[in-house]
Amino acid sequence: MGKIKLAIDTYLVGIGVSPGIAIGKVNLIDQRPLVDQSLIAISEVDAEISRFQKAVDRGREQLQKIKKTVSKQPHLREHLYILDTHLLILEDEMLVEGTKKEIRAQVNAEGALTRVLEQLRALFDNIDDEYLRERRSDVDAVGDRLLRILSGVSERNIGNIGSKSLVVAHDLSPAETMQMDRSNVLGFITDKGGRTSHTAILARSLDIPAVVGLESVTSMVADEMPVIIDGSSGVVILKPSEETLKEYQERKQSYDYLEQDLEKYRDLPSVTTDQVRVPLRGNLEIASDVIQIKKHAAEGIGLYRTEFLYLGRSEPPDEDEQYQSYCEILKQANGESVTIRTLDIGGDKFVPELNLEDEANPAMGLRAIRFSLHEERLFKVQLRAILRASSCGHVRVLFPMISGVAEIRACKKMISDIQAQLDEEGIPYDPDLAIGIMIETPSAVMISSLLAQEVDFFSVGTNDLIQYFLAVDRGNEHVAYLYDPLHPAILRALKMTCDAADEAGIEVCICGEMAGESLYALVLVGLGFHELSMNPACVPRVKRVLRQVSKHDGEDLVKQLLSLSTSKEVSTIIEQEMRKRLPVLFSQPPI
């Protein structure tokens, strides 16, 4: 099939996963191998199983070799756990034994492996949490490696790219991304991928502009084709005109200058012009992200998602393993606070008899705190680990998806019981451990004044709150346009929550994506949020905004916004206000 004939200035929009602008020529990485799926005779089964096992052994050797090379590079050592994850996948019983079982059904190794990979992908696709769902990309990476070995295709080594270029591929594995020579790879774009894939995380760590999820870009480009990548907006321009090239060269210059300018704010306090302190904390998914929190000078961890500890295993982590993990993060936090959110995922992975895959609407089913209270034994193990870790540093515990007072009281009772046990056993913990809840359901907003009497702090999870409040699945392409953080109903919900916290004298923070959007910073402070927790890379821009605005001005702006009737009216006023106040940050025209 030939390449699509392209016009000058062909615009594509994917998922911008690593900010920055890259301009260069394409280096098209070869596509995935063609997989020969066929039936085999019963007499060929043993030989085919042996061939598959040799591929697994060869894959392990390749990953161990890459790990040895990467371990010599200080800036990548923090990410070695990703290669360990891939090595564990190669040992996974469902993958290895499942493939052998398919081979015994007289399917060749490639076909058997493909069938099992499809089953594993289906399991991940049913996970509601975006970060955990993206872990299917690690299964894909391992699967592709095995398929390449089985098909006799040589291993790709992006580290051998010899000239400055933009890498274009159907997909890139974390192992391949780790081998990139930053001096020669200006940026990359892929057909596949998501914002929270390990490849995307690595791209941000390496400061490589990247856009993923373009679906068919590999069928549209050819080697040496000029391309522009905007990793902030997700825009990719194929065959740019001279005029477009000039425009983006100027944008790149402005972006690079702004990034250098933001570095001056790194160690300055996050305080408004009327001296209101607003700590900016980092959201943490995996232990290695602590390096990004330090890099961007976030003040501790405002949301540590513990789900990663439970991923890729048939049994949940025990108390000691969790305790050690939490203590290690506290150690790296250097005395700053760490807010640990309890498990926020459905429980069918660990309690198969629940048959949660049959739930008609898993987003509203047995997940998060509902699952934890349903499975007390599992919940108590995590709570004991968190309480023990509180003796290692400043810990706060956060309960997700609370919808009523009874749930938080049940959680507090469990903490009290565990504290009594620890006292009996002589195990130290912080008796003043702060307890917080996620405000992410409409019911929690409506009774926020009651919930505020029960806890030490609120943390608003805007991602789920917006979906539930507006009845919009942002992953559904037909209604995603309705997912709007500036909907008047959302602003009123946030104001009601902040007012309830203020009246009760407790802290209220925000940890959803809204917190990291610098355009919203003045509004969030005006609403009454005491701290913001975000992707660490967003901290410098948000800090610069906060240091040049006042809380008083934010309050005046919020009064104006609450009188408006539509999202469009709200966004127009905010954009006008921020362009007037900070033209350097917000004057760039939209794509």
Side-chain angles (χ1 to χ4, degrees):
M1 183 175 176
K3 296 288 182 182
I4 300 170
K5 189 172 182 180
L6 298 176
I8 298 296
D9 282 342
T10 295
Y11 279 72
L12 306 175
V13 180
I15 304 169
V17 296
S18 185
I21 293 173
I23 302 171
K25 293 184 178 181
V26 164
N27 188 319
L28 182 61
I29 303 299
D30 61 302
Q31 299 302 294
R32 301 171 73 189
L34 294 174
V35 177
D36 173 30
Q37 301 186 51
S38 59
L39 298 177
I40 59 175
I42 190 70
S43 59
E44 299 175 281
V45 167
D46 287 345
E48 203 68 3
I49 288 176
S50 176
R51 188 166 75 92
F52 171 69
Q53 186 59 55
K54 287 179 181 177
V56 172
D57 295 340
R58 178 61 181 150
R60 187 183 303 108
E61 290 172 6
Q62 290 177 351
L63 287 171
Q64 288 171 338
K65 182 179 178 182
I66 294 169
K67 183 179 176 181
K68 184 177 180 180
T69 301
V70 168
S71 66
K72 298 175 183 177
Q73 303 177 53
H75 67 293
L76 286 173
R77 285 177 192 152
E78 291 285 343
H79 298 288
L80 286 175
Y81 77 94
I82 299 175
L83 297 178
D84 288 332
T85 298
H86 288 201
L87 286 165
L88 285 172
I89 292 172
L90 278 176
E91 307 294 333
D92 184 81
E93 184 175 347
M94 185 171 180
L95 178 70
V96 178
E97 296 306 320
T99 300
K100 291 178 179 178
K101 182 179 178 181
E102 292 287 347
I103 294 173
R104 292 188 186 99
Q106 296 179 250
V107 180
N108 73 335
E110 291 91 334
L113 176 59
T114 300
R115 289 185 186 183
V116 171
L117 289 172
E118 288 171 353
Q119 295 167 17
L120 288 168
R121 290 178 188 126
L123 287 175
F124 280 95
D125 286 343
N126 287 327
I127 295 176
D128 184 59
D129 184 273
E130 179 188 9
Y131 179 77
L132 296 177
R133 190 168 60 246
E134 280 293 345
R135 299 289 65 77
R136 64 163 279 180
S137 63
D138 293 306
V139 175
D140 286 339
V142 173
D144 284 351
R145 180 174 295 278
L146 293 177
L147 288 171
R148 285 179 181 279
I149 294 169
L150 288 168
S151 303
V153 176
S154 59
E155 183 181 7
R156 303 192 304 191
N157 187 349
I158 297 177
N160 290 334
I161 291 177
S163 60
K164 293 183 181 295
S165 57
L166 301 175
V167 171
V168 183
H170 176 70
D171 198 10
L172 288 171
S173 74
E176 290 168 331
T177 308
M178 284 182 182
Q179 296 176 84
M180 283 183 177
D181 181 349
R182 183 65 182 88
S183 62
N184 283 328
V185 177
L186 303 175
F188 68 80
I189 54 179
T190 62
D191 292 333
K192 295 182 64 179
R195 194 179 311 278
T196 55
S197 68
H198 279 147
T199 297
I201 291 168
L202 278 164
R204 290 192 290 273
S205 178
L206 294 168
D207 292 324
I208 298 176
V211 177
V212 303
L214 287 159
E215 297 185 355
S216 58
V217 69
T218 49
S219 67
M220 303 172 72
V221 303
D223 280 332
E224 299 298 309
M225 177 185 288
V227 170
I228 296 171
I229 297 174
D230 186 338
S232 303
S233 66
V235 167
V236 171
I237 307 170
L238 310 182
K239 298 178 69 174
S241 64
E242 286 297 322
E243 184 180 354
T244 302
L245 271 173
K246 183 179 178 182
E247 175 191 347
Y248 271 86
Q249 284 166 349
E250 291 174 355
R251 287 195 183 194
K252 175 173 169 53
Q253 188 176 35
S254 297
Y255 176 86
D256 292 343
Y257 171 77
L258 180 58
E259 288 300 300
Q260 292 173 10
D261 184 61
L262 289 175
E263 185 62 24
K264 294 187 299 188
Y265 292 81
R266 184 187 182 280
D267 297 318
L268 297 177
S270 177
V271 60
T272 63
T273 56
D274 48 356
Q275 301 305 302
V276 175
R277 186 99 163 84
V278 185
L280 303 181
R281 309 197 192 281
N283 290 345
L284 181 75
E285 274 115 7
I286 48 180
S288 64
D289 277 352
V290 172
I291 195 170
Q292 290 296 306
I293 287 173
K294 292 178 179 177
K295 175 181 176 181
H296 297 290
E299 299 176 55
I301 297 164
L303 173 66
Y304 172 36
R305 300 179 174 103
T306 57
E307 291 76 36
F308 183 78
L309 291 173
Y310 294 76
L311 189 68
R313 54 202 304 164
S314 57
E315 294 288 332
D318 62 24
E319 180 184 324
D320 285 337
E321 181 180 348
Q322 292 188 60
Y323 165 71
Q324 294 293 341
S325 296
Y326 302 150
C327 284
E328 178 58 31
I329 287 168
L330 283 161
K331 178 182 176 182
Q332 294 188 54
N334 292 327
E336 297 282 2
S337 71
V338 175
T339 301
I340 302 176
R341 186 181 70 183
T342 60
L343 187 61
D344 187 8
I345 190 175
D348 50 324
K349 183 170 180 60
F350 310 113
V351 192
E353 60 269 23
L354 291 175
N355 293 318
L356 297 187
E357 66 272 13
D358 296 329
E359 287 189 307
N361 194 340
M364 297 185 183
L366 190 62
R367 54 165 289 207
I369 201 61
R370 300 168 182 180
F371 167 69
S372 292
L373 291 173
H374 186 278
E375 295 296 320
E376 286 192 8
R377 183 192 61 79
L378 194 71
F379 193 28
K380 286 179 178 177
V381 168
Q382 183 171 36
L383 290 179
R384 275 184 61 97
I386 292 172
L387 276 164
R388 287 174 59 195
S390 69
S391 66
C392 301
H394 185 194
V395 172
R396 304 195 303 179
V397 65
L398 181 63
F399 297 114
M401 205 178 174
I402 293 292
S403 58
V405 170
E407 288 170 329
I408 185 59
R409 286 180 178 171
C411 293
K412 289 164 64 179
K413 173 67 165 58
M414 204 169 294
I415 285 179
S416 179
D417 290 344
I418 293 171
Q419 287 175 328
Q421 293 173 1
L422 294 175
D423 285 337
E424 288 181 8
E425 298 169 32
I427 297 175
Y429 64 89
D430 179 6
D432 298 319
L433 175 74
I435 297 173
I437 59 172
M438 294 283 289
I439 301 291
E440 50 191 342
T441 65
S443 64
V445 172
M446 299 308 294
I447 62 167
S448 53
S449 60
L450 300 177
L451 292 168
Q453 305 301 319
E454 301 286 336
V455 296
D456 300 304
F457 68 98
F458 285 162
S459 185
V460 179
T462 52
N463 300 359
D464 275 343
L465 182 66
I466 295 168
Q467 292 194 109
Y468 289 137
F469 236 93
L470 302 182
V472 172
D473 177 3
R474 63 176 176 163
N476 184 324
E477 62 191 34
H478 302 296
V479 297
Y481 71 96
L482 294 170
Y483 180 92
D484 191 346
L486 300 180
H487 191 290
I490 301 303
L491 291 181
R492 283 164 171 74
L494 297 178
K495 186 69 167 68
M496 181 182 293
T497 302
C498 289
D499 286 349
D502 186 56
E503 187 176 341
I506 67 170
E507 287 189 0
V508 56
C509 56
I510 185 168
C511 60
E513 288 183 13
M514 280 187 77
E517 176 52 71
S518 56
L519 185 67
Y520 303 158
L522 179 58
V523 175
L524 296 179
V525 171
L527 283 166
F529 285 100
H530 299 117
E531 65 178 56
L532 313 178
S533 188
M534 62 199 71
N535 181 316
C538 299
V539 168
R541 286 174 182 264
V542 175
K543 183 185 289 187
R544 177 166 179 182
V545 171
L546 292 178
R547 287 186 58 84
Q548 294 181 257
V549 300
S550 72
K551 181 177 181 181
H552 177 73
D553 288 340
E555 291 170 340
D556 286 344
L557 177 59
V558 166
K559 287 177 185 177
Q560 184 181 2
L561 298 179
L562 290 174
S563 69
L564 303 176
S565 304
T566 68
S567 302
K568 180 63 176 175
E569 293 170 351
V570 171
S571 63
T572 298
I573 294 296
I574 292 175
E575 288 169 8
Q576 289 175 349
E577 184 70 18
M578 298 312 288
R579 282 182 186 143
K580 180 179 71 176
R581 291 178 175 278
L582 294 122
V584 174
L585 281 178
F586 300 110
S587 62
Q588 182 165 287
I591 300 298

